[in-house]
Amino acid sequence: MAQRMKGMASGNPSVVTAKRSMGISKTYAAMTAFFIILAIAAWNPAYYSHAAGANSTTSNSSLVSNVLSKAVPSATGAGAPGGIAFLAVPLDVIPGIMVSMAVLILFVYDKNSGVLEYMLSLGMTPRDIYMRYLKAALLLAAPVMVIFAAGDILYISALFGTATAATLLPVQLITIPFSLAVVTFMVIAMMAFSSLQKTRAGSNQPIGLVVGYAATIPAYLTAIFLPFSKAMYADIVLAVVIAIVSLSFLRYSGKLIKREKFLP
Amino acid sequence: MHTLKLDGVSSGYNGKPVLHDINFTASESSVYVVLGPNGAGKTTLFRTIAGILEPMSGKVLLDGKEIGSAKEPRGSINYLSHYNALPDEMTVYNALRFYSGMEGGDPDRVIDLLGLEKLRDKKISDLSQGQKKRVSIGKVFLKERALYLLDEPTANLDPGLSKEIRDLILKLSKDRLVLYSSHNLYEASDIGMNLILIKEGKLAMFDRISNVRSKEYRVGIRASKDITKIVDARKDANGYYVLTVSKPEEAGLALKKVVESGVLVTEMRELDNPLQELFDGKGGV
């Protein structure tokens, strides 16, 4: 038992931070599971059925997907997979965001309880601290997104057949790096806004959430206005841009956000 | 032996200075008591020395190395904030493991040293304020450092434990520098050898506590007989004969006179603390 306890509190700092996050915010784990199920069973089939042209899949698709397939125009015409399938990409970041919220809760908690101040006194820089929590968020979000993508592929195969699932595979494959890029951006934005808030009960953290999620807006536009193949490349470019912006902020965070902002 | 030097240090928050042009060199291995009224800048001083706040001007040097963004000198400092900085969701043992993972040290040794065995598997959130403080102090003893910055370490502790902690800190200070802030003036004079007085963000005094002089001393004497006819004293409500003198030596002469008159003296104590006058702005050296 002692060994197990030792393992919990020592070792890789990001693993410890990730475990602590899950320990204090179990609700977010439950919410993550809920959104994974909702995405796999409800909204993704709707976009996919429309994007696949609803040829052989009409009989299997849900009422929601039928309604959507009529309501949302395909950018490429009937019979070809539409870029609208890529609406799944910005929406599917939600489970990743949800699970990393627990890390953000921990960040604010550690700031208020003086843990961050103690870390600074040990010689950590603001960037070290941000990296610690960011890595923890990515450690939680990455497996969630991989499991989610795998579950999505399996469900789509069962629902529409393996051929359709293979056609839509790029969507799930892009969802993983895109989600991790958005999670990186959102976590950094939320930590930065939390660092800047003057009062403990301030509401800057949700501002970070809104700013972070705003990064996904271009992905909605590419899904609506571009054909499948172009939407795919556009989302890859978007993921790279979001990641570069996030990591650039992280690199200069020490200069942009002063150490005093980490004090309780 | 270590040396802490503050050279023209001004520091504060959001561009507004709290500390103004602080200069001192602490090189004697001992406890330096940091005194000052609330808001004087004691915590800001500690945070600046710890490298948490960057000085707006001036330098903080530990053994000749500037403390700032460099990690190495900051690794030689331990800062105990008046926030407990404990992860509430962890057990006492895991919390100490959490910190030993960051800075090194042996949690088992700390548990033995501070008698935390009974609390070992309790969650931090289930502890009383005093117990939390005790665990928080445990962080100080995880690893040996050159300089300890202890911001009111005995606040919320019962007198017995306060004494134990003070004894441990005194032991620590034999070959290290300890800066210790307290609002308890008797505790300060008990533990400290040197005094750093901060007032309105400025260094008001840096000296040995033994050099702090009062304008007058009140000495209480318990005796077997009335001594008011032997020396100039009055009896107070607590049963002390109170003698007011301008120098400590005069109290000794008065005591000698009382004893030579055949009166049995059972107790003699200083009734006021010279440090109190520093707070009130009357003291000096």
Side-chain angles (χ1 to χ4, degrees):
Chain A
M1 188 181 168
Q3 282 305 315
R4 190 181 65 82
M5 288 168 71
K6 279 183 181 182
M8 269 193 63
S10 62
N12 186 302
S14 302
V15 174
V16 174
T17 307
K19 283 180 178 172
R20 288 185 61 212
S21 306
M22 284 292 98
I24 66 163
S25 311
K26 292 184 179 73
T27 315
Y28 286 94
M31 291 290 282
T32 303
F34 170 75
F35 276 105
I36 287 175
I37 294 165
L38 191 69
I40 291 175
W43 72 57
N44 282 358
Y47 305 130
Y48 297 156
S49 65
H50 172 78
N55 290 336
S56 60
T57 59
T58 311
S59 58
N60 290 331
S61 58
S62 64
L63 177 64
V64 175
S65 65
N66 277 325
V67 170
L68 265 173
S69 68
K70 286 169 189 158
V72 184
S74 165
T76 55
I84 208 78
F86 280 93
L87 272 181
V89 173
L91 273 172
D92 290 352
V93 301
I94 291 173
I97 287 177
M98 200 51 68
V99 75
S100 50
M101 284 293 289
V103 178
L104 270 308
I105 301 288
L106 181 70
F107 177 84
V108 174
Y109 165 75
D110 281 351
K111 182 190 170 194
N112 291 340
S113 65
V115 173
L116 299 189
E117 181 184 22
Y118 196 76
M119 288 178 180
L120 286 174
S121 80
L122 295 176
M124 289 187 192
T125 62
R127 192 172 68 169
D128 294 335
I129 293 174
Y130 281 150
M131 277 302 286
R132 190 184 182 104
Y133 289 86
L134 174 62
K135 281 182 187 172
L138 292 174
L139 266 173
L140 292 174
V144 161
M145 294 315 299
V146 170
I147 291 166
F148 170 64
D152 200 29
I153 291 164
L154 289 173
Y155 189 72
I156 294 302
S157 298
L159 202 62
F160 303 121
T162 48
T164 304
T167 310
L168 293 169
L169 192 60
V171 179
Q172 282 98 16
L173 291 180
I174 289 168
T175 297
I176 298 171
F178 187 85
S179 299
L180 297 181
V182 171
V183 163
T184 303
F185 185 74
M186 190 210 68
V187 166
I188 292 171
M190 288 181 77
M191 285 194 291
F193 278 105
S194 300
S195 306
L196 294 173
Q197 86 185 12
K198 286 180 180 171
T199 56
R200 285 183 175 215
S203 56
N204 285 356
Q205 201 178 12
I207 296 174
L209 177 64
V210 172
V211 169
Y213 197 73
T216 66
I217 290 172
Y220 286 99
L221 302 177
T222 59
I224 291 168
F225 294 111
L226 295 179
F228 190 89
S229 59
K230 285 186 180 172
M232 182 173 74
Y233 291 116
D235 280 359
I236 292 169
V237 170
L238 272 175
V240 171
V241 169
I242 293 168
I244 288 172
V245 170
S246 311
L247 297 175
S248 301
F249 177 82
L250 198 61
R251 184 177 166 83
Y252 298 106
S253 55
K255 287 177 184 168
L256 294 170
I257 295 181
K258 290 186 175 176
R259 293 182 201 158
E260 68 205 54
K261 302 295 180 189
F262 292 79
L263 300 178
Chain B
M1 195 148 108
H2 302 283
T3 304
L4 171 70
K5 184 176 181 185
L6 271 74
D7 184 8
V9 171
S10 296
S11 182
Y13 308 89
N14 302 316
K16 292 174 191 163
V18 173
L19 293 177
H20 308 273
D21 194 27
I22 304 285
N23 292 282
F24 67 78
T25 302
S27 55
E28 185 181 5
S29 295
S30 67
V31 176
Y32 290 75
V33 175
V34 179
L35 285 183
N38 286 333
K42 301 187 294 294
T43 299
T44 307
L45 176 71
F46 280 164
R47 285 173 169 167
T48 307
I49 296 172
I52 295 168
L53 293 176
E54 284 176 277
M56 292 167 177
S57 63
K59 288 178 185 173
V60 180
L61 301 138
L62 179 63
D63 296 333
K65 290 175 187 164
E66 190 171 351
I67 300 167
S69 54
K71 282 189 182 181
E72 193 216 326
R74 286 165 73 192
S76 306
I77 301 171
N78 185 286
Y79 170 52
L80 180 75
S81 155
H82 51 79
Y83 290 95
N84 289 325
L86 294 170
D88 260 0
E89 79 286 359
M90 288 188 180
T91 63
V92 167
Y93 183 76
N94 275 348
L96 291 171
R97 284 288 303 178
F98 173 68
Y99 282 110
S100 74
M102 280 195 264
E103 56 182 304
D106 181 6
D108 291 300
R109 191 185 71 84
V110 170
I111 281 180
D112 287 344
L113 189 69
L114 293 182
L116 296 169
E117 195 52 51
K118 282 184 183 168
L119 304 178
R120 184 189 167 102
D121 293 326
K122 276 196 175 181
K123 271 196 169 186
I124 300 289
S125 55
D126 295 334
L127 302 181
S128 68
Q129 285 303 314
Q131 288 170 326
K132 282 182 187 175
K133 192 76 193 180
R134 201 163 147 193
V135 179
S136 184
I137 289 169
K139 301 198 303 268
V140 174
F141 296 98
L142 272 171
K143 197 178 165 189
E144 293 187 350
R145 313 290 185 128
L147 169 64
Y148 292 85
L149 305 165
L150 311 177
D151 201 353
E152 298 181 35
T154 53
N156 292 328
L157 293 181
D158 59 64
L161 189 62
S162 292
K163 175 81 173 63
E164 276 178 44
I165 300 296
R166 281 202 300 276
D167 289 346
L168 284 168
I169 291 168
L170 272 173
K171 214 171 158 185
L172 260 186
S173 69
K174 280 184 180 164
D175 51 358
R176 293 174 188 90
L177 298 170
V178 177
L179 267 62
Y180 183 107
S181 83
S182 176
H183 278 110
N184 183 332
L185 301 180
Y186 286 97
E187 179 185 78
S189 54
D190 182 35
I191 193 173
M193 189 175 276
N194 293 285
L195 172 70
I196 297 169
L197 180 68
I198 305 286
K199 278 189 174 177
E200 294 172 359
K202 291 175 184 161
L203 183 68
M205 184 184 285
F206 181 84
D207 206 339
R208 284 181 160 273
I209 287 181
S210 57
N211 289 339
V212 176
R213 292 277 181 268
S214 291
K215 285 180 181 167
E216 60 177 28
Y217 295 85
R218 289 193 321 128
V219 179
I221 296 173
R222 281 190 201 274
S224 59
K225 288 180 189 168
D226 184 356
I227 63 166
T228 52
K229 286 174 186 161
I230 305 166
V231 290
D232 185 14
R234 58 173 180 81
K235 196 169 186 182
D236 73 2
N238 297 318
Y240 284 105
Y241 290 100
V242 179
L243 204 63
T244 303
V245 293
S246 57
K247 293 181 208 162
E249 299 80 39
E250 287 177 17
L253 290 172
L255 177 68
K256 191 180 171 196
K257 207 171 167 185
V258 170
V259 173
E260 283 173 352
S261 304
V263 178
L264 177 66
V265 173
T266 54
E267 187 190 345
M268 184 175 178
R269 61 179 289 234
E270 200 175 346
L271 295 178
D272 301 315
N273 189 325
L275 297 180
Q276 179 66 51
E277 293 188 1
L278 294 176
F279 261 85
D280 302 338
K282 299 175 200 160
V285 286

